[in-house]
Amino acid sequence: MLDINIGDVTAAYEGAVGIIWEMLMGEQIHVGGKEETDTLAEIAGVNPGTRVLDVLCGLGGPARHLARTCGATVVGLDATGRMVSEAVARTADESLGDRVAFRLGNALNMPFKSGTFDIVWGQDSWCYVTDKDRLIRECRRVAVPGGTIAFTDWIQTGPMSDEELHDLNAFMLFPYMETLDGYENLLRRHGFAVRECEDLSEDFASQMHRYRDALTGDLKDRIVELFGTEIFLDMERGIGLWARAADEGKVGRGRFIGRKQ
């Protein structure tokens, strides 16, 4: 585990890192955008009136999408002030404030009463959490009896040297990556019946290459103008490392669905 904490992540997403990843991925800031959100929502059973907690919600793109398309009531939780403020503003612009709200807070000590949400949700963001065991325990606490946990995340899918692990995690500000089996074990340990534990890594490499191509193509001049050459080169190097690791089958994504017993 790297010496990376919540302060390091929030500082990055208050500034250039958060803006650049939105430029590359769109406001949902996860692989696959709205289509992936739709898929997860269908599997998880998001319906009109479903109470959803989006843990590490970023700019609130998925939260607003679930409210618009599924009729869900969504609360987003994030530790980055700029992200929460921007999420609130964008939600107001879309007149969704009656169904979507946001809280500034720590996913390891959630500011919600036990048994509040029908579905606890996350998309490609729990990799930033230092203590995933405690995270899953908190997710279980705030879910209703029989409630659902539904999330995707970036994972380690193959053996790597210590240097590779360090460079990949340090670039992304991940304290560490979980594995497919690791997440499944955590879910079972904390009383979730696992419905799905699926490796989604098949197209991960192509997505990494797409982000790198966008970075070095149409977005290059704008990123250099906004943040300077050094930050651009750091992003180019880091995404290149991730693209190579994905090509070699060392990193990818997983989708996890469980029911609170």
Side-chain angles (χ1 to χ4, degrees):
M1 180 181 291
L2 300 188
D3 184 17
I4 293 171
N5 59 50
I6 190 172
D8 299 319
V9 176
T10 56
Y13 274 84
E14 291 282 0
V17 169
I19 295 170
I20 292 172
W21 278 114
E22 183 183 5
M23 293 169 74
L24 294 172
M25 291 179 145
E27 72 165 4
Q28 297 225 357
I29 315 185
H30 64 77
V31 173
K34 293 178 181 178
E35 292 77 12
E36 280 284 324
T37 299
D38 287 337
T39 298
L40 188 61
E42 181 178 0
I43 297 171
V46 181
N47 295 305
T50 301
R51 296 166 299 174
V52 180
L53 173 63
D54 186 356
V55 180
L56 302 185
C57 64
L59 295 166
R64 289 186 292 277
H65 187 73
L66 293 175
R68 281 194 306 266
T69 62
C70 302
T73 300
V74 189
V75 176
L77 177 68
D78 204 276
T80 303
R82 185 188 76 82
M83 289 289 184
V84 172
S85 297
E86 186 66 23
V88 169
R90 295 185 190 191
T91 300
D93 287 344
E94 296 186 30
S95 300
L96 288 170
D98 59 331
R99 282 181 285 162
V100 184
F102 298 94
R103 292 284 299 272
L104 183 67
N106 190 337
L108 299 182
N109 188 20
M110 296 185 194
F112 308 109
K113 291 187 179 298
S114 300
T116 300
F117 299 98
D118 302 307
I119 296 176
V120 182
W121 173 284
Q123 288 185 272
D124 294 8
S125 57
W126 295 3
C127 31
Y128 291 105
V129 176
T130 56
D131 188 345
K132 295 176 180 61
D133 182 88
R134 183 172 172 181
L135 170 65
I136 300 300
R137 185 168 74 244
E138 273 290 272
C139 289
R140 186 183 191 280
R141 181 184 67 80
V142 300
V144 300
T148 296
I149 187 170
F151 66 99
T152 59
D153 207 14
W154 293 19
I155 56 175
Q156 181 178 347
T157 54
M160 283 184 272
S161 68
D162 290 344
E163 182 179 3
E164 287 177 303
L165 280 169
H166 177 275
D167 290 347
L168 290 167
N169 286 324
F171 169 70
M172 287 300 299
L173 295 176
F174 297 165
Y176 71 102
M177 278 180 282
E178 197 47 90
T179 64
L180 203 70
D181 289 344
Y183 264 133
E184 182 175 8
N185 290 336
L186 286 176
L187 290 170
R188 296 189 190 282
R189 180 186 306 165
H190 291 293
F192 287 101
V194 177
R195 286 175 40 201
E196 181 172 315
C197 181
E198 183 174 354
D199 190 337
L200 304 178
S201 302
E202 185 175 353
D203 70 336
F204 190 70
S206 65
Q207 296 284 356
M208 289 296 107
H209 284 284
R210 184 171 68 82
Y211 301 144
R212 186 176 62 180
D213 291 346
L215 179 82
T216 59
D218 295 341
L219 294 176
K220 178 180 179 179
D221 291 343
R222 181 63 174 155
I223 291 171
V224 171
E225 177 186 357
L226 288 173
F227 305 113
T229 301
E230 184 176 350
I231 286 180
F232 168 79
L233 291 174
D234 184 61
M235 291 295 297
E236 182 182 31
R237 180 194 65 82
I239 294 176
L241 288 175
W242 273 84
R244 182 166 65 250
D247 286 336
E248 295 171 352
K250 297 175 179 178
V251 293
R253 292 173 68 241
R255 180 169 59 224
F256 309 88
I257 310 288
R259 181 179 59 81
K260 177 178 175 178
Q261 296 179 304

